[in-house]
Amino acid sequence: MSVTVRVPAKVNVQLAVGPARSDGFHPLANVFLAVGLYDEVTVTPADELRITCAGPDADQVPLDRTNLAARAAEALAARYGRDPGVHIHIAKDIPVAGGMAGGSADGAGALVACDALWGTGASREELLGICAELGSDVPFSLVGAAALGIGRGEQLTPLETGGTFHWVFAMAGRGLSTPAVFREFDRLGEGTDIPDPVASQELIAALAKGDPDALAAAVSNDLQPAALSLFPELAETLATGRAAGALAALVSGSGPTTAFLVRDPESAAAVAQALVASGTCRTVRTALGPAPGATVAGAA
């Protein structure tokens, strides 16, 4: 038997970052929106745990025990006292190292797939607890739709969405290290009073109304200056999307993917065409949000 789970990418429509704590982590107010770019994670019984991957930039995906999908299988197996022997195959479509939680998505996908394959019957709370141990973005990959994440981003409160939002994503020619972006955030903020992060009530209301104009006025990313400092070329990509009619343009998470909120499919096509013609990015994708979280797509 094999089980396949489909799991979405995310965009941070708000990422408010507080000052570094004593443990090095930063408190966050992180409003996630899942979007319709998906990885598919298939698990099949095997003599030992192994990972394969296919799709765009698959050569950049680690195939050892550092992969969150492998760690998810090991964590669930350890909790239920069983051997973690499975073959995990990742059909990759979420950009790699792009600030869209592709690795986290694979962790959540493998966890749900192994739970179904092994029949462990873990509760949603148990699965979310394992997700939180794996990484800050992994719980949202399980939940999907829209949510506010506080703490390190792993403490989730679901948010209402009143409609569909249209997005264009521009993938950069190289990656950005999330730890490096946070270090640059600390460097840029040295000597200043960084406030505690607070979720924008205007943004939450815009999501609930399904109002793209109100959402565009409220989106923000405190990591964007740090990402632009390390990757200045992203500024030209952002400017290109705005000039082509995007309602809002921002770096997605820690980057380097840039995200453009648009009004409708026609606007999405126009912005995507302008970005491709500009030569400021490697590839361009369009997607809708919200999208469901990790979902069993099939069993054979």
Side-chain angles (χ1 to χ4, degrees):
M1 181 179 177
S2 66
V3 175
T4 298
V5 169
R6 194 178 189 223
V7 61
K10 61 85 180 167
V11 60
N12 305 87
V13 289
Q14 182 189 6
L15 181 50
V17 183
R21 306 184 314 206
S22 58
D23 62 2
F25 286 104
H26 296 72
L28 305 175
N30 201 349
V31 180
F32 297 100
L33 181 70
V35 295
L37 298 176
Y38 300 94
D39 283 0
E40 289 194 344
V41 181
T42 300
V43 297
T44 307
D47 292 335
E48 60 181 6
L49 177 60
R50 66 186 183 95
I51 299 179
T52 55
C53 184
D57 301 321
D59 59 327
Q60 299 178 37
V61 176
L63 302 181
D64 57 18
R65 300 299 174 88
T66 64
N67 190 301
L68 285 174
R71 291 174 53 197
E74 290 179 323
L76 187 66
R79 179 164 298 210
Y80 284 89
R82 61 170 302 134
D83 188 292
V86 284
H87 170 207
I88 302 173
H89 179 71
I90 301 168
K92 173 63 68 176
D93 197 40
I94 301 173
V96 177
M100 298 187 75
S104 297
D106 297 340
L111 187 64
V112 172
C114 287
D115 176 59
L117 179 71
W118 295 335
T120 52
S123 69
R124 190 166 182 81
E125 289 70 25
E126 284 181 279
L127 294 177
L128 283 170
I130 295 172
C131 286
E133 294 169 5
L134 293 171
S136 300
D137 287 347
V138 184
F140 178 71
S141 295
L142 179 70
V143 171
L148 167 64
I150 60 172
R152 291 183 290 109
E154 83 286 5
Q155 301 171 36
L156 297 177
T157 301
L159 297 175
E160 182 182 352
T161 52
T164 298
F165 296 96
H166 298 262
W167 293 88
V168 180
F169 297 98
M171 289 61 171
R174 60 180 173 89
L176 266 179
S177 159
T178 297
V181 173
F182 273 98
R183 287 194 297 270
E184 184 68 0
F185 172 84
D186 292 336
R187 187 189 72 80
L188 293 175
E190 194 171 0
T192 65
D193 186 18
I194 299 174
D196 291 331
V198 178
S200 165
Q201 293 307 305
E202 293 79 10
L203 182 140
I204 291 172
L207 284 173
K209 291 177 183 176
D211 185 338
D213 293 289
L215 183 62
V219 296
S220 64
N221 181 1
D222 286 354
L223 290 183
Q224 182 162 309
L228 291 175
S229 176
L230 297 175
F231 201 151
E233 299 94 327
L234 295 178
E236 186 177 354
T237 309
L238 292 170
T240 298
R242 290 191 198 98
L247 301 175
L250 73 162
V251 173
S252 179
S254 59
T257 297
T258 46
F260 303 88
L261 177 62
V262 296
R263 192 178 306 281
D264 50 36
E266 294 75 22
S267 300
V271 170
Q273 184 177 16
L275 288 165
V276 170
S278 73
T280 62
C281 54
R282 181 168 52 92
T283 56
V284 176
R285 303 288 301 279
T286 60
L288 303 178
T295 305
V296 175

